[in-house]
Amino acid sequence: MFRKELFVRKNVVMLLAVLISSCVGAEQSVYVMELQAPIATWDEAIPLGNGMLGGLLWGQGNTINLSLDRGDLWDETPAPEILEGNWNFVNMKKLIKENWGEYARRYDNIYNHPAPTKLPGGRLVLTLGGDKKAENFKLDMKKAVGRVNFTDGSKLECFFPAQERVALVLVDDTDVSSKFIRPDGLDRLKYKPAEFGNAEGMSWMMQQASDGLVYVTLTAAKRVGGRTLIAVAITTNQEDADEPNPLALAKSRAAKALDSGYDRMFGTHEKWWDSFWSISEVDVPDERIQRHYNLVKYFYGAASRPDAPSMPLQAVWTQDSGGLPPWKGDFHHDLNTQMTYLAYHKAGLTDSGMSFINHMWNLLPEYRKFAREFFGVEGASIPSVMTLNGKPLGGWPQYALSVTYAIWVGQSFYLHWKHTMDAEFLRERAYPWMDEIVGAIVELLEEKDGKLYLPLSSSAEIFNNSPRAFLKPNSNQDLAMLRWAFEAMAEMAGALGKTDDVERWKALRGKLNDLHVDEDDVLMFSSDEPFNESHRHHAHTMAIHPFGMLNIDGSDKDRRIINATIKKMDELGTKAWCGYSFTWFACILARVGQPEPAFQYLTYYERAFILRNGFHANGDQIGAGLSGFRYRPFTLEGNFLAMEAVHDMVLQSWPVDIAKDPTPVIRIFPAMPWRWHDAGFRELRAEGGFLVSAKRSNNATISFSIKATHDGVLRLRDNFGGVKPEFNRKVKEEGRDFVVEMKAGQALTGKLARPGEIPPEPKQSIEVRKRLERIEKIANQ
């Protein structure tokens, strides 16, 4: 219902076809990841998946592992402190003032219990003939298939069929044995031992979990000529009302897959992935950045589907080191989920994004219950650290139990509407969901001297979980979210013709203070906490990104604040940053038109903060001195922020001030580093529902096409270096913008003369190049 435009791409004007063919110039290698054997640890494995199921392919010698996962494997056992009663916001505030130790016991330390937690699915271990030795592992991103090549020329292939809840493994060998390994971490949850069995060519592991959950991992094998075909199923007793027996269900799915055969299953799978990759494309002249962009885009297809749970910290690749996943593998809404689902909008991966939208929408009844029982208000509230089913996990309550992060979740609904302009989605999903979320927050606001304040405020993770982390309301983080919420609600209400709502939201917006800045115009954490230390979470800058209320097209004061804050961030350094801090900062820099440092920080991340399979590992992995964190817990938000940073370098579309005029301004190649001389992109989505394609040569835009999917005003920024495009239709010039009224299906195209030569390298690019040469030298040691 809300995806009616996803694959409507077929009848494109001739110029767009030319753009497409010229943009597909990237080497096939940037869609292939090759890792030399051995792969001795799960977090460097080849990631595979189909939304609900996931697998990690790794191993050495003649032993190949497939670490299995399923998105809905959860232990939802609540912390006993929650069940003691009187577990609510009023009591929490009281204990903060009167008994910090009891507050910590009841609201903070509860996160230390083993449960609730995401559950690993177990490990399938395949042992091949004794003469086999793995030479390398490959991921073909285009086909979503993993391969192991052996030194004798034979191979193993594995894929998770795009539309079936099984996995298939094809081995060039008939001497193959298998076994399942139960994760030792399940013992911490006091589970009974797993039941192992085999019959009729099938083997399985069945595990009883909490709350009646039973799940099964199963293999079925048969010989196909001189090869072995293995089907793998992961089932639960809660997924199919017609078959509550998970073992019977697993047997049925595996048998069906074997009967269908590898080629037939792969053919359907391949068609799905061909459609996925046809949606959009980005081509930049940096092989490492390009490959990583493609890999992260692949993650969306492999780990996020409308009919499966949205991606938590590790998506469908839960830690397989014997224990339970870091940070419980949970849903963190103080950055992680929001940034994980930020890049799908421009990429046009609406199906992938609907996983998050559907998940958040379907949990509304639970969020309403949490608003009533914890906050004591009507409407809906989200536990900012939660289980699959929306239950609160506590831990660092300054953030885990903050009421405002739900606004940030709501931005996904807003941006989904803005990039699709789906009126039905706005009316039936975006506005109603946000209305309940923001309405609950309004009930909690306290008015003093004509201004509105939260009862408690914070700025993500500054001062950790200490008493000092409760900042004087309202922090800049909370001000940015509140201000954006009221302005976005007014815009959506206006689009729906709800005039009374418009006035109500505007009145609330008028009762907020300005953002807090120090004497040097630097954004502060709060009115009495200056930004004076390196910090991983850029929460105090949220007005710049992702909300965009402070932008370079604003007032002189806005630009002073932006420049002063970025300068201060650079001066304080990155010693307390994680990997995601670098990619977020790259987004910020691209958004404010600073391409060289944006490229610098994006490259820092790509060289130092990912494992060799591309997983974001939080800490500095090469010892480059970029961060004091050297650990390697894998989480995904840093990956997706890297994808969004590339998007922000090649295309931006945001309004200058949504309170005055919500019309977005499209900016083509707005933040391109000098070294990206030739680049292109195809059918990225811009706000306003426009599909944009463009090509760049010798550091200048030479052609573009902007197709309207809905009636509306197209405003295009003239950033073409003084060269006026040759348009295919009449446009008006308004200040720095070209403006034209568009009808659905129409395209505005432009051609520009190709510069004869590349301009000289600017000083800032030279400085960045020297910094990156040092990092490259360390990385290659």
Side-chain angles (χ1 to χ4, degrees):
M1 178 166 63
F2 300 117
R3 299 182 284 121
K4 54 194 175 190
E5 296 181 34
L6 184 57
F7 296 109
V8 182
R9 302 282 195 276
K10 305 303 180 185
N11 299 318
V12 184
V13 295
M14 185 63 68
L15 176 62
L16 187 55
V18 174
L19 286 170
I20 292 172
S21 64
S22 64
C23 194
V24 184
E27 295 288 334
Q28 181 65 20
S29 64
V30 297
Y31 289 97
V32 175
M33 178 171 65
E34 179 175 339
L35 306 177
Q36 294 304 306
I39 300 179
T41 178
W42 69 275
D43 58 3
E44 294 182 4
I46 296 294
L48 301 165
N50 59 15
M52 177 62 83
L53 306 184
L56 294 166
L57 187 66
W58 56 290
Q60 55 190 317
N62 67 336
T63 301
I64 304 301
N65 304 306
L66 187 62
S67 301
L68 298 169
D69 197 9
R70 184 182 164 107
D72 58 359
L73 293 183
W74 268 84
D75 185 320
E76 298 261 352
T77 304
E81 291 84 354
I82 293 178
L83 302 179
E84 290 176 10
N86 201 27
W87 198 84
N88 55 55
F89 189 62
V90 171
N91 187 49
M92 187 178 82
K93 287 193 299 177
K94 181 175 181 289
L95 291 177
I96 289 169
K97 291 181 178 180
E98 299 177 1
N99 191 337
W100 183 265
E102 181 66 2
Y103 151 79
R105 184 187 75 84
R106 298 214 58 198
Y107 297 92
D108 192 350
N109 299 341
I110 62 174
Y111 196 76
N112 298 330
H113 293 294
T117 183
K118 175 74 177 68
L119 299 173
R123 183 188 307 173
L124 172 64
V125 181
L126 301 176
T127 304
L128 282 59
D131 59 341
K132 296 289 185 186
K133 184 178 181 181
E135 182 175 21
N136 59 55
F137 292 73
K138 288 187 178 181
L139 170 64
D140 183 336
M141 302 174 208
K142 285 274 190 173
K143 306 303 181 186
V145 60
R147 295 187 180 90
V148 186
N149 293 310
F150 298 95
T151 54
D152 64 358
S154 62
K155 68 180 184 294
L156 175 153
E157 291 188 347
C158 178
F159 74 99
F160 283 63
Q163 295 172 296
E164 301 290 339
R165 290 184 176 175
V166 293
L168 285 177
V169 182
L170 184 62
V171 189
D172 290 346
D173 198 349
T174 57
D175 183 9
V176 182
S177 62
S178 67
K179 67 176 180 179
F180 288 110
I181 296 179
R182 175 185 184 269
D184 291 338
L186 300 184
D187 292 337
R188 294 185 61 203
L189 300 168
K190 311 282 191 221
Y191 290 174
K192 295 179 180 179
E195 298 177 22
F196 294 87
N198 61 82
E200 301 175 346
M202 297 183 180
S203 62
W204 60 84
M205 176 179 71
M206 182 161 59
Q207 179 66 59
Q208 294 185 26
S210 65
D211 296 326
L213 173 67
V214 181
Y215 60 97
V216 168
T217 54
L218 175 145
T219 63
K222 73 174 184 179
R223 290 186 180 183
V224 182
R227 299 185 292 179
T228 302
L229 178 61
I230 303 170
V232 185
I234 316 172
T235 58
T236 80
N237 61 335
Q238 299 176 358
E239 64 173 299
D240 189 334
D242 295 329
E243 181 50 87
N245 184 332
L247 181 57
L249 183 60
K251 288 180 177 181
S252 172
R253 286 181 179 169
K256 180 181 176 182
L258 290 183
D259 288 343
S260 295
Y262 189 92
D263 290 341
R264 181 181 297 177
M265 295 283 281
F266 188 76
T268 304
H269 168 84
E270 187 176 33
K271 287 180 181 178
W272 188 95
W273 278 95
D274 285 345
S275 294
F276 174 85
W277 287 107
S278 73
I279 294 169
S280 65
E281 187 171 15
V282 171
D283 183 9
V284 297
D286 184 311
E287 186 173 339
R288 295 184 66 100
I289 297 297
Q290 181 70 62
R291 183 180 292 108
H292 193 68
Y293 175 91
N294 293 341
L295 177 66
V296 180
K297 186 174 180 179
Y298 162 82
F299 288 169
Y300 272 128
S304 191
R305 303 287 180 83
D307 59 348
S310 63
M311 291 182 282
L313 294 176
Q314 296 184 326
V316 289
W317 301 302
T318 299
Q319 173 177 304
D320 179 24
S321 60
L324 296 174
W327 299 296
K328 299 177 176 288
D330 62 29
F331 294 89
H332 266 53
H333 296 305
D334 61 347
L335 175 144
N336 305 79
T337 59
Q338 296 94 326
M339 294 308 200
T340 292
Y341 280 98
L342 185 59
Y344 91 79
H345 302 288
K346 288 194 185 78
L349 303 178
T350 312
D351 252 7
S352 296
M354 285 305 295
S355 173
F356 188 52
I357 297 295
N358 288 342
H359 189 188
M360 296 301 100
W361 176 264
N362 292 336
L363 284 177
L364 258 181
E366 190 65 36
Y367 297 157
R368 291 174 185 135
K369 180 181 177 183
F370 186 64
R372 289 193 306 270
E373 295 183 356
F374 185 80
F375 286 109
V377 297
E378 294 303 311
S381 297
I382 299 180
S384 298
V385 179
M386 71 175 210
T387 70
L388 173 69
N389 292 331
K391 301 293 186 181
L393 287 168
W396 291 32
Q398 294 91 336
Y399 327 108
L401 297 172
S402 167
V403 72
T404 52
Y405 289 119
I407 291 171
W408 198 355
V409 172
Q411 191 190 29
S412 292
F413 284 78
Y414 171 85
L415 289 175
H416 188 101
W417 166 59
K418 290 290 285 189
H419 284 81
T420 64
M421 296 309 293
D422 186 334
E424 183 181 9
F425 179 83
L426 171 65
R427 183 177 62 254
E428 300 295 333
R429 288 276 185 103
Y431 190 78
W433 194 92
M434 284 287 288
D435 190 42
E436 291 203 51
I437 292 292
V438 182
I441 295 171
V442 170
E443 281 198 47
L444 289 169
L445 293 173
E446 302 166 354
E447 187 165 347
K448 301 173 186 176
D449 301 322
K451 297 295 182 181
L452 296 173
Y453 299 92
L454 292 162
L456 294 175
S457 193
S458 62
S459 185
E461 299 183 6
I462 190 63
F463 313 128
N464 297 328
N465 59 342
S466 71
R468 190 180 175 190
F470 285 110
L471 304 179
K472 181 180 179 180
N474 295 318
S475 68
N476 268 342
Q477 167 196 275
D478 289 335
L479 271 174
M481 287 192 277
L482 289 169
R483 174 179 164 181
W484 177 85
F486 296 149
E487 292 178 355
M489 292 301 292
E491 179 189 354
M492 290 190 286
L496 292 171
K498 297 178 177 289
T499 55
D500 290 345
D501 283 9
V502 171
E503 295 308 312
R504 178 166 62 94
W505 297 122
K506 285 183 175 180
L508 289 166
R509 165 65 183 89
K511 292 184 177 183
L512 295 176
N513 285 313
D514 292 335
L515 295 166
H516 309 299
V517 296
D518 65 16
E519 63 275 11
D520 296 319
D521 287 324
V522 174
L523 286 169
M524 305 168 69
F525 293 121
S526 63
S527 62
D528 60 350
E529 285 289 358
F531 171 49
N532 57 7
E533 61 180 270
S534 177
H535 185 54
R536 60 190 173 272
H537 197 302
H538 308 317
H540 65 296
T541 71
M542 289 175 70
I544 303 172
H545 183 278
F547 293 119
M549 294 168 295
L550 286 179
N551 59 69
I552 54 175
D553 285 352
S555 66
D556 290 340
K557 181 180 180 181
D558 290 348
R559 284 185 287 274
R560 286 198 306 271
I561 294 172
I562 291 169
N563 292 331
T565 301
I566 288 174
K567 180 181 177 183
K568 187 71 170 181
M569 294 173 79
D570 187 60
E571 290 173 353
L572 292 173
T574 63
K575 64 181 179 181
W577 288 20
C578 294
Y580 70 77
S581 315
F582 289 82
T583 46
W584 188 358
F585 195 41
C587 290
I588 293 171
L589 291 163
R591 179 70 69 92
V592 302
Q594 297 190 24
E596 300 303 339
F599 175 77
Q600 172 185 322
Y601 282 89
L602 177 60
T603 306
Y604 280 168
Y605 153 83
E606 194 278 334
R607 295 305 279 134
F609 291 89
I610 60 175
L611 304 176
R612 62 175 176 147
N613 66 346
F615 280 173
H616 164 241
N618 278 276
D620 180 351
Q621 301 302 302
I622 63 173
L626 292 172
S627 172
F629 293 106
R630 295 297 308 278
Y631 62 173
R632 56 184 284 165
F634 147 57
T635 57
L636 280 165
E637 71 290 329
N639 293 107
F640 290 103
L641 277 167
M643 183 179 181
E644 183 66 2
V646 173
H647 286 158
D648 281 340
M649 295 163 92
V650 301
L651 177 67
Q652 295 178 26
S653 58
W654 39 267
V656 175
D657 186 343
I658 64 173
K660 295 179 180 178
D661 182 0
T663 304
V665 179
I666 294 175
R667 299 159 173 84
I668 294 174
F669 298 124
M672 297 292 282
W674 174 84
R675 70 193 64 203
W676 286 5
H677 309 310
D678 304 315
F681 60 89
R682 172 179 61 81
E683 295 215 314
L684 293 183
R685 272 197 180 265
E687 290 189 30
F690 296 102
L691 298 173
V692 186
S693 303
K695 186 178 179 184
R696 174 181 172 87
S697 181
N698 284 0
N699 290 62
T701 304
I702 61 171
S703 60
F704 60 83
S705 171
I706 307 173
K707 181 179 179 181
T709 61
H710 292 77
D711 296 353
V713 175
L714 167 59
R715 186 175 289 274
L716 173 66
R717 176 57 47 88
D718 181 2
N719 64 338
F720 303 117
V723 179
K724 186 173 182 179
E726 179 184 325
F727 290 109
N728 68 328
R729 61 180 64 249
K730 186 177 180 179
V731 301
K732 295 188 296 181
E733 294 186 42
E734 295 182 3
R736 294 178 292 169
D737 299 334
F738 300 109
V739 182
V740 59
E741 290 277 352
M742 300 285 285
K743 297 292 185 182
Q746 291 181 338
L748 175 69
T749 64
K751 295 181 179 179
L752 301 94
R754 180 180 185 272
E757 58 185 22
I758 298 170
E761 184 175 12
K763 179 181 177 181
Q764 192 176 38
S765 176
I766 295 171
E767 293 171 348
V768 167
R769 174 161 49 82
K770 290 179 179 178
R771 295 186 193 113
L772 295 179
E773 286 171 355
R774 182 186 75 84
I775 301 299
E776 191 69 25
K777 183 177 180 180
I778 295 171
N780 291 331
Q781 288 177 349

